[in-house]
Every structure is written in C-alpha cells, then in structure tokens.
C-alpha cells in the first residue's frame, strides 16, 4: 500500500510539518554540501531547514566533480564566503565581526563523512573557516553521536544566523525542528518512544 505525501513539505501526510513551518528570510545565504547518504534519510534536518529558509541552496555530492556547479556559483558571487567547519585555523563566529550579508558553506553528513568530503574538496580551504563557540546544546534527541558537541545542520545554521544577526528571530527554525523530532518519536514503537521521552541527554550528529 503506497504512502501519501504532502505536496508542500514532502513528508508523509500523517507527519506533515506545514503547520509548524514559519518561513524566515535571513540576509545570509546558506549553501549546504550534502552527502548523498543524507538525502533520503528520514531524520534529515536539511529538509526542514529548506522549508523554513526557502533560499537555502543544497548541492548533493562527495567528490570535487560533484560540486562543479557550486564552484561556478561561488566564483561569480560578490559576497564574503565562509566555510563552517571547526579546525585549528577556524575562528569563532561570536568573536569575529562578520557581515551577515555573506555566504555560509556547511557540510551535511556525519563527522566522518564531512571530514572525507573536506579531504576530497581541497578547494574549500580557500575560504576562511568559522565555528561556533562551545556551550551550544543539541535538541536532536533522535540521533546519537560519539561527540558531545555535535549539532544537526539546522541547529548549526540557526545558531550561526543568530550570532551573525542578533536581530534575526531564528525561533521558527527551532520550532520546525522540534516538530520534526516529535513526529519522528511518535512514529516509533511505544517502548522506544519512552526511551527518548525520558532522555535528558540530546546527542546528535551533524545532519
């Protein structure tokens, strides 16, 4: 028996997110380099991100050739471009003044996959790297990670946008994200639901 999907949010009709989506239009252009394994993942936060920030650009791939179109776009871009990736060279976005009218590049995948994407795409290192300061807590209860500082891609975007433009209300992003998480939990067997509902340690991977 085939499932029916919402034509707008593309989630199953019994898990439609439309009622929880309030669009926002930040000055910052969000560009996501998404690993192919994340595209059809049910817990993919980039899908929710794109519903709230419709201007989000998503490029799916892993190798350098997969992102030729993105590289052409960036070459013609007249805005500052930053890679969101923590490293020894990256700087905290909260400590360095950055004009919110810029482009943020984000890698969407597990830490291992994101690192591999970075290795396969050395051209990304031409852009200054930025990261979030410590202390942000994930609300992504439905995905686990070995790293306590892991955030979903949507959460990283929300915190980045808020740091760049404190006047921007990013609550619509978090509200839609929370709704997605709750709907995923409700779709689980009751015994599994109890495990997540009683958990106060929301770990996640960048997804």
């Amino acid at each position: 028996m085939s499932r029916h999907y919402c034509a707008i949010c593309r989630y199953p009709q019994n898990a439609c997110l439309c009622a929880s989506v309030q669009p926002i239009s930040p000055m910052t252009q969000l560009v996501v380099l998404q690993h192919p394994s994340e595209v059809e993942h049910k817990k993919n936060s980039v899908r929710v991100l794109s519903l709230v920030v419709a201007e989000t650009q998503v490029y799916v791939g892993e190798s350098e050739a997969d992102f030729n179109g993105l590289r052409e776009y960036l070459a013609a871009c007249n805005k500052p471009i930053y890679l969101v990736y923590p490293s020894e060279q990256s700087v905290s976005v909260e400590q360095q003044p950055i004009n919110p009218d810029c482009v943020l590049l984000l890698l969407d995948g597990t830490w291992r996959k994101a690192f591999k994407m970075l290795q396969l795409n050395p051209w990304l290192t031409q852009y200054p790297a930025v990261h979030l300061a410590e202390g942000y807590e994930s609300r992504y209860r439905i995905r686990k990670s070995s790293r306590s500082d892991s955030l979903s891609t949507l959460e990283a975007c929300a915190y980045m946008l808020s740091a760049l433009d404190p006047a921007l209300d990013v609550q619509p992003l978090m509200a839609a994200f929370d709704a997605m998480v709750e709907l995923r939990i409700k779709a689980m067997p009751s015994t599994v639901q109890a495990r997540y509902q009683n958990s106060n340690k929301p770990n996640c991977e960048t997804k």
Side-chain angles (χ1 to χ4, degrees), residues 63-95:
S63 68
E64 188 170 330
D66 295 331
F67 299 110
N68 284 338
L70 170 58
R71 297 179 69 183
E72 292 177 2
Y73 167 77
L74 296 175
C77 185
N78 58 3
K79 297 182 179 181
I81 302 169
Y82 299 91
L83 172 66
V84 180
Y85 194 87
S87 67
E88 293 181 358
Q89 292 75 37
S90 65
V91 298
S92 168
V93 72
E94 295 89 349
Q95 297 177 353

Side-chain angles (χ1 to χ4, degrees), residues 17-196:
L17 276 182
C18 291
S20 301
V21 173
Q22 178 184 341
I24 63 174
S25 297
M27 285 189 287
T28 307
Q29 175 65 60
L30 302 175
V31 178
V32 179
L33 287 73
Q34 186 174 53
H35 191 277
S37 65
E38 298 299 321
V39 177
E40 298 300 328
H41 206 295
K42 295 179 180 179
K43 303 171 186 176
N44 175 8
S45 75
V46 171
R47 185 189 302 184
V48 183
L49 171 65
S50 298
L51 290 172
V52 179
V53 184
E55 296 82 9
T56 300
Q57 296 186 30
V58 181
Y59 293 82
V60 178
E62 185 177 26
S63 68
E64 188 170 330
D66 295 331
F67 299 110
N68 284 338
L70 170 58
R71 297 179 69 183
E72 292 177 2
Y73 167 77
L74 296 175
C77 185
N78 58 3
K79 297 182 179 181
I81 302 169
Y82 299 91
L83 172 66
V84 180
Y85 194 87
S87 67
E88 293 181 358
Q89 292 75 37
S90 65
V91 298
S92 168
V93 72
E94 295 89 349
Q95 297 177 353
Q96 174 177 306
I98 296 177
N99 190 325
D101 189 15
C102 66
V103 177
L104 292 183
L105 303 176
L106 300 105
L107 305 181
D108 181 56
T110 63
W111 282 106
R112 180 177 60 81
K113 291 174 181 176
F115 178 74
K116 183 178 180 181
M117 290 171 69
L118 187 62
Q119 299 305 302
L120 292 174
N121 293 273
W123 57 273
L124 287 170
T125 60
Q126 69 182 289
Y127 303 113
V130 295
H131 65 264
L132 291 165
E134 297 181 0
Y136 291 98
E137 184 174 321
S138 175
R139 296 148 80 151
Y140 209 178
R141 292 177 289 156
I142 54 177
R143 298 199 85 165
K144 296 181 180 180
S145 172
S146 58
R147 295 185 55 144
S148 60
D149 61 346
S150 296
L151 295 170
S152 68
T153 300
L154 180 147
E155 290 173 307
C157 283
Y159 295 138
M160 279 282 175
L161 291 175
S162 184
L164 293 178
D165 184 5
L168 177 68
D169 182 11
V170 298
Q171 184 54 33
L173 275 169
M174 305 311 295
F177 180 74
D178 289 344
M180 183 272 287
V181 170
E182 289 302 319
L183 286 170
R184 294 311 312 163
I185 291 176
K186 288 180 180 179
M188 298 174 181
S190 57
T191 54
V192 180
Q193 285 186 36
R195 183 194 315 161
Y196 285 102

